[in-house]
Amino acid sequence: MFGFTSKCLLSLICFGLINYELVDASDIPKNDENKPHIIFILADDLGFDDVSFRGSNEFLTPNIDALGYHGKILNRLYSSAICTPSRGALMTGRYPIHTGMQHYVISNEEPWGLPENVTMLSEIFQKAGYSTNLVGKWHLGFGKREFTPTHRGFDYHYGFWGGFIDYYQRRNKMPVRNVSMGYDFRRNLELECADIGTYVTDLFTHEAERIIMANNNTKPLLLVVSHLAVHTANDQDPLQAPEEEIAKFQYIKDPKRRIYAAMVSRLDQSIGRIIHALEKANMLQNSIVAFQSDNGGPSVGLFSNSASNFPFKGQKVTQWEGGVRVPGVIWSPLLHKRGSIFQPTMYIGDWLPTLADAANIPLSRSGLRLDGINLWPALSGDSFNQSKQKLDREIVHHLDDIWHVVALLQGDWKYVNGTMASGRFDTLLTYRELYDIDPRSSDYFAAVANSTTSQILRRYDASTLERKLVNKLRYEAAIRCGNGVQRSCNALLEECLYNVAVDPCERNNLASSPEYGDILRRMRRRVEQHRHTAWPTNNRRGQSEYDPSYHRCTWTNFLQDTPTDDYLVCGNDGPPCESAN
Ligand SMILES: *[C@@H]1O[C@H](CO)[C@@H](O)[C@H](O)[C@H]1NC(C)=O
Ligand SMILES: *[C@@H]1O[C@H](CO)[C@@H](O)[C@H](O)[C@H]1NC(C)=O
Ligand SMILES: *[C@@H]1O[C@H](CO)[C@@H](O)[C@H](O)[C@H]1NC(C)=O
Ligand SMILES: *[C@@H]1O[C@H](CO)[C@@H](O)[C@H](O)[C@H]1NC(C)=O
Ligand SMILES: *[C@@H]1O[C@H](CO)[C@@H](O)[C@H](O)[C@H]1NC(C)=O
């Protein structure tokens, strides 16, 4: 509990108003030989209700659920609403407004990335002696080499640089009219041609296993597994999963949702395989394994994969809970009181100081200017002063003055001003499926207990995971919308104010109640304060010379690459170069 009681409580009072500062290096016991391995698994566009630990029986995620039941369910975990901002916050511990990443994602043909003068999590861990590895998606820029993972603190990267690829050919066609299809798959800076045609969720899992086995406990490991799953592939074939996986979900009538379930299932199995590899490499007893989605699922519209964020309104891209509150779990033998629900509000930017503390890495008091908070003492310890936290915890969900969207959380209060997509996604977009039922859900407990993850993690439990506990946690993790007075809010025209602790479904706008006038005014003022600290956005327009057709049909470091008309990418078996249409 080093340093928690004095300094962390102080910062609990101050966070939001003052940049969070970690404890002095001198407070931290040196324990270099025993730093924990950290395995962080990020899903892409996975909906809030597309894991089964919240109660859905449509298709089960026994491995993810088991990770939570043997560890902790992160009940109120928030991310940004889209990929680039949330990955930026994860990697820097800062709000997107404090890195210039707040406005919109990096489209592949755009020459910008996360500013080089901001320190990243990977750089911190690399400097502290960790072996740092990224498997999968990056999406923080690749226009020049200096933006890419191996220049940003990762010793090793296997995967893709851009927003998405397809699951077999690893090519990307951005939904931009005059940009052509390009190949995007690398091992470090080199194009990686091996295994084209193998389902990429399995490839990433296999690569994670390989890294773990090769590490074999020789060096503290940071492994970020950043899955493509369950993002859509290219437009003409957006949902992709192996036939044998889809066959397991024949009972799902909606054909899109059926394939989606198979994509989620493969992702779920990935967690089981990673846990198994850690156990085989004798690393699990000193590991922290965390899993979360990068943002809400896109139920409809661009990149919609048929995800469900039930019962929240909104989805990916929006400031509603369906866009920013995400599924997440953590497991580690270093956590006390496992088999519980972690209630405090948590932000994706908290991982940097939290994991650094877990690894005894002192962070510079002034240099990082973190917005994230060190939750390791709370996560790993037994208790947490929730009432204190409730008063103070703040998250800037959105502050974008280009599209005029603001969303701020302070304690239980959420202030919303403006909305995305002209309000088209401002409702509950999906309902929980009650008729297409996973046959395994007739004995949900057995399905969870039978998962690879549970079979292995139970060896670390003081007492057997019981049906009663699983049912209790699942019941408590279910979201209850409450049935207070319904006062809707048109965020295009008016400010909205919700108490999300009792009204997580944002159905009862309190902005016009005189009773809450002080809160409304306080939050408005706070938005203004944040507005003054926001960096200008980094976004830059794409240009035609960045098109893959000028770069051997690949997405490459176009600011440095010499255009050529050599169209061979990965030998003669490589993908053809498809032009823009
Ligand atoms: C870092 O770079 C950004 C632009 O990329 C700039 O706005 C910011 O002021 C710089 N910060 C520091 C501390 O140099
Ligand atoms: C892993 O390390 C152990 C103990 O140091 C050793 O016995 C084993 O051979 C190693 N395994 C591999 C695959 O290198
Ligand atoms: C448990 O797993 C085994 C092997 O994976 C499988 O054959 C069996 O049907 C499973 N049982 C349950 C209850 O899911
Ligand atoms: C709320 O939105 C309106 C319209 O975009 C804007 O004029 C006002 O400044 C916003 N208020 C805050 C606190 O951001
Ligand atoms: C797309 O077309 C516009 C208008 O012709 C042009 O300005 C832009 O550079 C093109 N972008 C790309 C990436 O080709």
Side-chain angles (χ1 to χ4, degrees):
M1 296 287 286
F2 32 85
F4 175 58
T5 35
S6 56
K7 303 218 170 102
C8 205
L9 281 182
L10 177 70
S11 65
L12 283 173
I13 294 159
C14 303
F15 55 61
L17 297 172
I18 296 176
N19 281 311
Y20 178 70
E21 291 173 352
L22 261 187
V23 295
D24 276 316
S26 56
D27 292 359
I28 298 175
K30 283 276 177 289
N31 187 15
D32 280 5
E33 294 325 301
N34 205 24
K35 288 188 186 302
H37 304 296
I38 293 169
I39 296 83
F40 192 88
I41 307 167
L42 192 62
D44 196 341
D45 286 3
L46 179 70
F48 185 81
D49 205 37
D50 295 326
V51 288
S52 47
F53 66 76
R54 300 269 181 195
S56 172
N57 285 321
E58 188 187 358
F59 50 83
L60 301 187
T61 50
N63 288 287
I64 295 168
D65 296 14
L67 202 62
Y69 296 139
H70 289 274
K72 295 188 180 188
I73 292 171
L74 304 173
N75 192 36
R76 286 179 70 181
L77 172 61
Y78 288 100
S79 234
S80 282
I82 40 176
C83 294
T84 295
S86 59
R87 284 153 208 272
L90 170 67
M91 294 303 297
T92 65
R94 306 181 66 169
Y95 295 137
I97 51 165
H98 292 150
T99 56
M101 309 303 274
Q102 66 270 40
H103 176 54
Y104 198 58
V105 295
I106 304 172
S107 192
N108 280 17
E109 74 286 1
E110 295 174 352
W112 58 287
L114 193 103
E116 289 153 75
N117 62 9
V118 185
T119 306
M120 294 179 91
L121 183 147
S122 39
E123 292 165 336
I124 291 166
F125 277 77
Q126 188 178 52
K127 235 170 126 183
Y130 269 75
S131 157
T132 54
N133 303 267
L134 173 68
V135 171
K137 169 166 163 170
W138 176 239
H139 212 187
L140 290 172
F142 64 86
K144 53 181 180 175
R145 282 187 284 277
E146 288 72 16
F147 286 144
T148 64
T150 52
H151 280 82
R152 298 307 318 254
F154 283 106
D155 301 333
Y156 177 76
H157 175 225
Y158 173 87
F160 59 106
W161 283 340
F164 63 93
I165 49 176
D166 85 75
Y167 284 77
Y168 295 97
Q169 296 304 314
R170 298 153 5 171
R171 294 184 302 170
N172 166 292
K173 170 77 183 77
M174 291 311 293
V176 179
R177 257 229 327 272
N178 53 351
V179 176
S180 57
M181 175 98 83
Y183 184 77
D184 181 9
F185 211 79
R186 305 250 161 191
R187 198 182 289 273
N188 301 323
L189 292 172
E190 302 300 315
L191 277 181
E192 169 73 7
C193 298
D195 304 310
I196 290 176
T198 305
Y199 193 60
V200 82
T201 303
D202 297 343
L203 270 186
F204 289 153
T205 305
H206 184 259
E207 190 64 14
E209 291 169 330
R210 192 191 65 72
I211 290 167
I212 290 164
M213 297 314 290
N215 177 288
N216 194 21
N217 236 344
T218 52
K219 204 177 172 191
L221 174 72
L222 172 73
L223 172 59
V224 178
V225 185
S226 173
H227 273 289
L228 168 64
V230 288
H231 199 290
T232 51
N234 296 308
D235 259 3
Q236 79 286 357
D237 187 13
L239 296 172
Q240 301 179 335
E243 283 307 326
E244 76 271 16
E245 200 64 42
I246 300 171
K248 298 178 188 169
F249 299 94
Q250 286 310 325
Y251 62 89
I252 297 180
K253 289 186 225 44
D254 177 342
K256 273 188 80 176
R257 189 80 179 154
R258 188 187 309 141
I259 303 174
Y260 180 74
M263 292 161 72
V264 175
S265 177
R266 232 25 184 229
L267 170 70
D268 182 70
Q269 290 162 41
S270 173
I271 281 85
R273 284 173 57 181
I274 288 169
I275 294 288
H276 185 240
L278 287 166
E279 176 75 347
K280 250 175 51 192
N282 204 23
M283 290 162 72
L284 200 53
Q285 78 272 19
N286 191 28
S287 287
I288 299 169
V289 184
F291 169 84
Q292 73 160 95
S293 180
D294 64 340
N295 44 245
S299 307
V300 299
L302 185 66
F303 301 133
S304 77
N305 56 9
S306 77
S308 167
N309 306 298
F310 179 87
F312 296 143
K313 72 181 181 190
Q315 61 164 14
K316 177 182 179 179
V317 177
T318 71
Q319 70 285 12
W320 307 113
E321 296 292 278
V324 295
R325 189 167 162 186
V326 294
V329 292
I330 185 171
W331 179 89
S332 171
L334 306 173
L335 307 179
H336 294 276
K337 220 167 164 248
R338 297 194 294 279
S340 66
I341 297 184
F342 185 68
Q343 296 294 355
T345 300
M346 188 169 180
Y347 177 56
I348 188 167
D350 295 343
W351 287 116
L352 188 151
T354 298
L355 295 175
D357 188 358
N360 285 351
I361 301 174
L363 300 181
S364 133
R365 291 178 65 86
S366 54
L368 296 174
R369 300 169 57 110
L370 301 176
D371 296 306
I373 289 163
N374 172 17
L375 286 178
W376 183 247
L379 260 177
S380 60
D382 293 326
S383 64
F384 191 64
N385 188 340
Q386 272 192 57
S387 55
K388 190 135 210 78
Q389 207 248 8
K390 266 184 167 184
L391 289 175
D392 300 307
R393 179 75 218 237
E394 178 178 81
I395 297 174
V396 179
H397 289 311
H398 269 246
L399 208 178
D400 176 14
D401 286 333
I402 298 174
W403 285 340
H404 303 290
V405 183
V406 173
L408 174 71
L409 181 78
Q410 271 194 327
D412 292 336
W413 292 99
K414 183 172 176 185
Y415 169 86
V416 175
N417 186 7
T419 189
M420 301 293 288
S422 314
R424 273 180 294 128
F425 307 141
D426 289 4
T427 54
L428 172 62
L429 295 162
T430 44
Y431 288 84
R432 185 177 281 177
E433 176 58 64
L434 297 177
Y435 301 102
D436 297 341
I437 298 289
D438 192 323
R440 291 174 293 177
S441 66
S442 62
D443 193 344
Y444 172 75
F445 173 73
V448 170
N450 203 29
S451 68
T452 307
T453 300
S454 183
Q455 296 280 331
I456 294 171
L457 296 189
R458 70 182 48 166
R459 295 170 205 161
Y460 297 83
D461 290 346
S463 56
T464 322
L465 182 71
E466 298 206 19
R467 182 181 298 269
K468 223 172 91 188
L469 176 65
V470 166
N471 289 343
K472 175 175 166 279
L473 292 175
R474 199 179 190 213
Y475 177 80
E476 287 172 0
I479 301 297
R480 287 166 187 85
C481 284
N483 48 6
V485 188
Q486 316 273 302
R487 261 175 294 178
S488 65
C489 181
N490 182 345
L492 281 176
L493 307 174
E494 57 188 324
E495 294 166 293
C496 319
L497 181 70
Y498 303 99
N499 181 332
V500 288
V502 295
D503 181 21
C505 303
E506 299 166 285
R507 305 198 295 198
N508 197 3
N509 174 25
L510 301 172
S512 56
S513 309
E515 224 182 307
Y516 304 109
D518 285 347
I519 291 169
L520 184 65
R521 283 185 289 277
R522 185 188 78 204
M523 294 187 83
R524 268 187 207 140
R525 278 198 305 274
R526 192 71 187 120
V527 168
E528 288 305 336
Q529 286 174 346
H530 281 300
R531 188 168 267 133
H532 288 300
T533 69
W535 290 22
T537 59
N538 303 319
N539 304 65
R540 300 283 178 278
R541 275 186 192 290
Q543 287 168 30
S544 51
E545 59 266 40
Y546 303 151
D547 195 274
S549 56
Y550 295 107
H551 302 275
R552 302 173 302 275
C553 310
T554 62
W555 287 109
T556 187
N557 315 115
F558 35 71
L559 297 178
Q560 288 150 340
D561 195 48
T562 319
T564 160
D565 52 12
D566 172 6
Y567 277 66
L568 292 182
V569 183
C570 290
N572 291 330
D573 296 334
C577 191
E578 274 176 33
S579 64
N581 45 33

